[in-house]
Amino acid sequence: MIETRGLTYAYPHAQSLPLPDVVVPQGGTLLLRGPSGSGKSTWLALAAGLLMPSSGEVVVAGQSLGVLRSGARDTWRARHVGFLPQKLHLSDALSVSDNLALVYFAAGLPLDRAAIVRSLDALQVGAFAARRPSQLSGGQAQRVALARALLLRPCVILADEPTASLDDDASAMALSLLRDSAARLEATLVIATHDARVWQTLPQAQVLPLMRPERRA
Ligand code: ADP
Ligand code: MG
């Protein structure tokens, strides 16, 4: 479950960005739909507790993020939120497998190599465990990033423009992976997108329309 109330965010020296209230039930799918600059990535950062709102509240799976101190928020995020960023942030200094191992350090949990193998296998990238991220295709790297996001079985999956650089087939594949993974974990799925293929592929999803600040009254 994700619930936002009265949310606004103001970047330094910028107009405040108001974000409409929304309630997404646990296991539901929400599309953040709007043009570039409308606040989709900002919304995801607020829902992940990466940014704190200027006003308003975010509650994720019963946890109000505003009451957590920053260290507690980092641990909470590592354990409960699966984030698939637009830029994947895989380290090329590490193997694919060790990129996933970092998740345990961030969460303050003991390393579980067997779970890493399972998570990579579930997304059909187990064969690449020993490679560096730069030795993968774009689609394979995205699967690895998704395997990393899902490793600790998060209750919320946040994906930022997951189809932006993909052709039609790869886009459909990425969306079905996201949807199937969320269903398997009974996680709430939020996809930020300005790609019409996404809402055509997920017609049942709840939609939160966002607008650029200058378009607002
Ligand atoms: P989207 O993901 O929909 O493209 P963003 O959430 O990235 O939109 O941005 C929303 C608004 O906030 C835009 O007007 C953008 O220019 C502004 N913005 C985003 N990041 C920053 C930043 N770090 N500093 C100042 N303004 C920012
Ligand atoms: Mg964005």
Side-chain angles (χ1 to χ4, degrees):
M1 191 273 293
I2 303 179
E3 181 168 8
T4 75
R5 283 187 290 264
L7 212 51
T8 66
Y9 189 79
Y11 288 101
H13 315 296
Q15 207 180 333
S16 169
L17 196 63
L19 297 159
D21 290 356
V22 69
V23 180
V24 193
Q26 186 60 37
T29 300
L30 176 70
L31 303 183
L32 299 177
R33 182 174 155 176
S36 176
S38 59
K40 302 183 296 298
S41 296
T42 304
W43 194 102
L44 293 177
L46 291 165
L50 287 163
L51 293 176
M52 294 313 283
S54 311
S55 64
E57 192 185 17
V58 185
V59 181
V60 178
Q63 175 67 58
S64 173
L65 305 191
V67 305
L68 297 174
R69 289 170 174 277
S70 77
R73 218 160 52 232
D74 290 340
T75 309
W76 170 85
R77 179 186 321 110
R79 295 186 182 190
H80 299 285
V81 178
F83 203 109
L84 184 65
Q86 188 168 7
K87 191 172 174 295
L88 300 177
H89 299 295
L90 293 166
S91 170
D92 214 45
L94 300 172
S95 66
V96 161
S97 174
D98 285 346
N99 267 277
L100 270 66
L102 287 180
V103 168
Y104 292 97
F105 293 99
L109 294 171
L111 182 57
D112 184 345
R113 289 274 173 200
I116 292 175
V117 171
R118 281 198 302 275
S119 193
L120 290 170
D121 281 344
L123 292 163
Q124 280 108 46
V125 285
F128 308 130
R131 289 202 196 174
R132 301 292 164 128
S134 62
Q135 298 170 310
L136 303 175
S137 73
Q140 290 163 351
Q142 193 183 46
R143 281 169 186 251
V144 166
L146 185 57
R148 177 183 57 183
L150 303 180
L151 186 56
L152 297 184
R153 308 181 63 82
C155 54
V156 175
I157 300 169
L158 307 175
D160 200 352
E161 309 265 7
T163 61
S165 58
L166 303 179
D167 65 28
D168 287 352
D169 285 349
S171 163
M173 180 67 84
L175 290 173
S176 66
L177 281 177
L178 278 167
R179 197 177 35 188
D180 295 351
S181 303
R184 180 162 51 89
L185 299 179
E186 296 173 35
T188 308
L189 173 63
V190 184
I191 303 177
T193 186
H194 65 265
D195 181 349
R197 295 177 300 183
V198 177
W199 51 89
Q200 285 159 4
T201 307
L202 301 171
Q204 321 286 9
Q206 195 177 335
V207 175
L208 184 67
L210 300 177
M211 287 178 293
R212 285 199 195 98
E214 66 271 19
R215 300 253 181 99
R216 294 192 186 94

